[in-house]
Amino acid sequence: MKRWVCRAALSLLVAGLVASASGVTAHSAPTPDRIDDVPGRTALSFMHTPSGARVGTANQREARPGLSIVKLYVADYMLRHGDGSPEDLALGQRMIRDSDDSAASQAYAKYPQSIDAIAAEYRLTGTRGSGFWGDAVTSTADTVTFLEAKKTTDPASRILEWMATAAPVAADGTHQNWGTGRLPSVTGTKWGWSDLGPSVVASASFGPDFSVAANTYGTADQHTGDVLGAFAEDPASPPPPVAQDPIQELIDRFVPLLITPR
């Protein structure tokens, strides 16, 4: 079964390359070719959408402080299972675009079951709610699962729209320009950070053909460094041109992702 999956996924990647070479617009996902170098303070998960290939750090399924990342789950429940009121829509926008804690508190007070319900629906095994949304936990693997589900089954979700139009500065004055949002080809991001106690930060992003999430016991600068260090040497530079032997290039780049144990 694993060999069949690898071959099928590789065929999809080759087909994408052929389309690109034929003049069809293609988006290039960043490649986590240095994920083994990520320090243990950071958990990181990545999924390549066309192939379904997943890769992550050894601690990617660890339940960590959910921070404002869990606002994604609260907003999803509210949008699909709430009362459909204009108030809910406004709260959702403030939670995701502005990372507004007050909006999250109002939404969670109204829908205290939201995080656990979404965890059950999407089978997020490292995600659990709490009496206060800020005390909930999730894993980077769960967040990537959630984002990929939204992209494939609910691509018109307001959540993806709000992530794609996130405010440069959050409601509390924090600049939202770090972590996974710094990777190439990212089109939407949600950030999270701790206000009390030891510093913990997180970010989760998606692009046309991938989703990625990371959580760091440390500062935003450390988080960004760990995230960028897992990918290309210069993530800000454009993807390299297609090599003379594109099929071999794809094998070299993606087969390690495809055979990584899930």
Side-chain angles (χ1 to χ4, degrees):
M1 177 61 74
K2 288 184 179 178
R3 290 182 180 177
W4 184 89
V5 171
C6 291
R7 290 176 181 174
L10 184 57
S11 296
L12 288 173
L13 292 169
V14 172
L17 179 61
V18 171
S20 176
S22 302
V24 178
T25 299
H27 299 276
S28 178
T31 305
D33 50 0
R34 301 182 180 184
I35 202 162
D36 289 340
D37 296 333
V38 175
R41 66 191 176 197
T42 292
L44 187 148
S45 301
F46 175 91
M47 180 170 177
H48 180 247
T49 309
S51 67
R54 298 187 66 141
V55 66
T57 53
N59 55 1
Q60 66 169 325
R61 300 190 184 281
E62 178 182 297
R64 293 190 169 203
L67 309 173
S68 288
I69 301 300
V70 300
K71 292 173 183 174
L72 296 171
Y73 309 149
V74 177
D76 186 49
Y77 181 91
M78 186 167 60
L79 290 175
R80 296 188 300 111
H81 303 297
D83 59 20
S85 65
E87 176 191 33
D88 282 5
L89 193 63
L91 289 175
Q93 178 173 311
R94 287 167 53 198
M95 279 196 298
I96 308 305
R97 278 184 175 168
D98 305 315
S99 201
D100 190 318
D101 290 352
S102 174
S105 294
Q106 293 179 61
Y108 198 59
K110 188 174 182 179
Y111 303 108
Q113 74 278 26
S114 55
I115 294 174
D116 286 333
I118 293 300
E121 180 178 354
Y122 292 97
R123 299 181 180 179
L124 310 181
T125 57
T127 299
R128 296 186 300 277
S130 182
F132 169 55
W133 67 267
D135 293 331
V137 297
T138 191
S139 69
T140 59
D142 282 355
T143 303
V144 164
T145 295
F146 172 81
L147 289 177
E148 283 296 307
K150 299 312 295 178
K151 286 171 55 182
T152 56
T153 66
D154 191 14
S157 172
R158 291 292 187 93
I159 290 173
L160 301 179
E161 174 191 339
W162 293 331
M163 290 177 69
T165 56
V169 180
D172 69 355
T174 299
H175 288 272
Q176 302 190 123
N177 60 354
W178 40 273
T180 57
R182 295 275 299 277
L183 290 169
S185 300
V186 163
T187 54
T189 301
K190 181 73 192 80
W191 293 266
W193 55 94
S194 56
D195 294 325
L196 300 172
S199 179
V200 186
V201 297
S203 58
S205 302
F206 68 89
D209 53 0
F210 70 96
S211 293
V212 59
N215 181 297
T216 299
Y217 290 119
T219 67
D221 286 342
Q222 291 173 320
H223 177 75
T224 300
D226 290 352
V227 168
L228 299 187
F231 291 84
E233 185 172 22
D234 183 9
S237 64
V242 176
Q244 292 298 316
D245 185 358
I247 294 178
Q248 184 59 50
E249 182 190 32
L250 283 172
I251 292 173
D252 292 341
R253 291 181 63 195
F254 289 102
V255 163
L257 301 184
L258 300 173
I259 61 177
T260 299
R262 297 180 178 226

